Amino acid sequence: MAKRRVRKNERMAEAPAAPPPRRRARWVVPVAIVCVAAGAAAAYRFVRPGRSVQRDPGLSVLLVTVDTLRADALGAYGQAGAATPWIDRLAREGVRFERAHAHNVVTLPSHANILSGRYPFGHGIRDNSGFRFPAGTPTLASILKAAGWRTGAFVSAFPLDSRFGLDEGFEAYDDRLGGREIRTAFLIPQRAGTATVDAALAWQGAHRAERTFTFVHVYEPHFPYDPPEPFATRFRGREYQGEVAAADAALERLLRPILEQGARSRTLVVFTADHGEGLGDHGELTHGIFAYESTLHVPLVLYAPGLLVPGVVKAPVRHVDLLPTILDALGIEPPADLPGRSLLPLASGDEKDVAPRSYFEALSPSLNQGWAPLHGLIDGALKLVDLPLPELYDLDADPGERRNLAATRAADLDRMNGLLATQRKADRGPERIPEDAATLEKLHALGYVAGGNAPKKERYTAEDDPKRLIDIDVRNRDVIRLYREGDIAAATALCEENIRRRPNMPMAYQHLAYLKRAQGDLPAAIAAARQAFEMQPLSAESVALYTVYLTEAGRAKEAADVLEPYMTAVKPDLDVLTSRGMALAALKRPAEALATFERGRQTDPSNPLVLVNMGTVYLMTGDRARAREAFEAALEIDPGVARAYNSLGVIAAQEGRMAEAVERWRRAVELDPRDYQTLFNLGVTLRGQGRSEDARPYLEAYLRAAPPALEARDIARVRGWLGASAGGRAAGS
Ligand SMILES: [Zn+2]
């Protein structure tokens, strides 16, 4: 941005020994990439001896999901050497389901299934981005809230951000991830399970005398695997298992009090995972590409000692059964049009093993990379995976899915295909909202996009089958690993290899754009981001990435123009609004920028980062009072937002309150130890005050964190200072 350069030049012109701190705030760039008949409840409570189905409308409900948790990673499901004592105890003292299935293999759609009791084509969310849960669709939260339960959700990662619509019906929806880690192509903002559990316990404490529905989501086992101590040491070489152990440990304070109350407990606990993890099965390292049992089979436990006798259920069950089960346990009639059924009869031993069909899908590779879409069905022991190269497995005889029966059991294949088609009768495909069509038309008319929609094919062939393309996904994981290890050149080479292997994958170009920017090659980053945008103009991620880089390169006018067609939407995407606000601010149109950010605030009122951006606009216009208000409002929503502290430090420095500036920046660095700009501000300020030894650790941290391509001059200068003082001591001795 022009302003940025001016500052830098001013600073460059001053005495090199002690330049003033970089007194500029930073943008927060989001992408661098039911109504119930409660009165009838009392009649349900009949307590008979034996194992008949019992219900209790006085119970609270605790729904716990652990992200990316394979069933067989838990001790309760046979993992030798697992350190999962709390989940295992819950399973032992509750009812454990041996064969529970998810319907999606990524986070947002799977949670939408769990909370709504609908299949993905029933609620419309088919991937982690580009979709929004339809307002007014009943969920556990809205049904229980209407029936008088207090409702609170505590989530740990960005895919469950309230902007995607799952917050409806929750009085409290806590998605405060601290803003410490800004979302990029390689990084999903998340918080530690312990922090999420703290927030849930605090909320429950405030509603102790009431019936509550608490939803807690813990994210630890998700890639990259980086377990905290003591699990890092204990599970060296088995880091995924270390993360699973950390998730269990995080849940202790939530589960222990309930378990210790035993029969006196007044809480129904439902424990599951949104999906599993490949860990190399069938060549899949993480999840989201295939739908083998490693990612589709999930743990499921119901715990309610007053209602359920401990036991194990072998019959197949599904995520869509959870909502009817929970409502049944509370004596509440579920909505009529749901595919699932209550599991209480099964859990009470009252029902013979029945095996309802279970639909599943994996559409992310299709939506983001143009691969063939994956749909499938489980019917009894048979599992159909509908792809250009179809797969049919007998899960009883072949639980590892090693023997594809598609070629040898043609009659079964036909029958399963027919059943799948029946299941999918209501599936209108991954549908964009109608206003997107208008946006696309305008983009065409303005000449911004040449081609058609996302790279969707009429007919997919064997060459589009994920089985033939899994090497690309493996390379993608390596790209992320290499990037995290700091080897950006090697990461870029692998990313380019993927593009040569299969052009037309928007995600690969997003990754390339991000890597090029990290190398300081903004023109190449813009070129790659433009490719992704052209292939996928309706993807908020693609357009936001492209336009953020344009603005960063001083081409804010182009960015604002490209973004203009998206502004006619009723609810434009938050990332798109943010990028447009940044472009307008760079064009010195602060009033329009603020109005755009204000729309973003209405889209997601609980988002502190929108307020940080509004504060940044005020700061640019010199309105420090309003800027301070905005930053403080951001901290009121989430006291973990490092960027707000950084900016408050900038204001203090501008007003000459250097002690306060140092204190604010120290807080920012505590929250985000890798924020090189704050490290620079802090180091330079302390040094300017003659406190070289205090400054040293911050300047050293700056050298470790600053990207060489973007910070070459300052890196050289800081090296000079640090070297000179060390050398000075040596020379003087
Ligand atoms: Zn997930």
Side-chain angles (χ1 to χ4, degrees), residues 11-80:
R11 189 154 57 77
M12 293 300 295
E14 284 174 74
R22 216 177 306 207
R23 289 169 186 183
R24 64 185 184 224
R26 290 186 55 202
W27 292 110
V28 179
V29 184
V31 179
I33 98 128
V34 186
C35 185
V36 173
Y44 274 98
R45 189 158 192 192
F46 27 73
V47 180
R48 275 192 255 121
R51 299 190 69 191
S52 61
V53 174
Q54 298 179 41
R55 298 167 176 94
D56 185 349
L59 293 182
S60 285
V61 178
L62 170 64
L63 169 65
V64 177
T65 62
V66 173
D67 212 288
T68 319
L69 177 61
R70 273 174 79 125
D72 63 8
L74 296 168
Y77 284 81
Q79 176 70 228

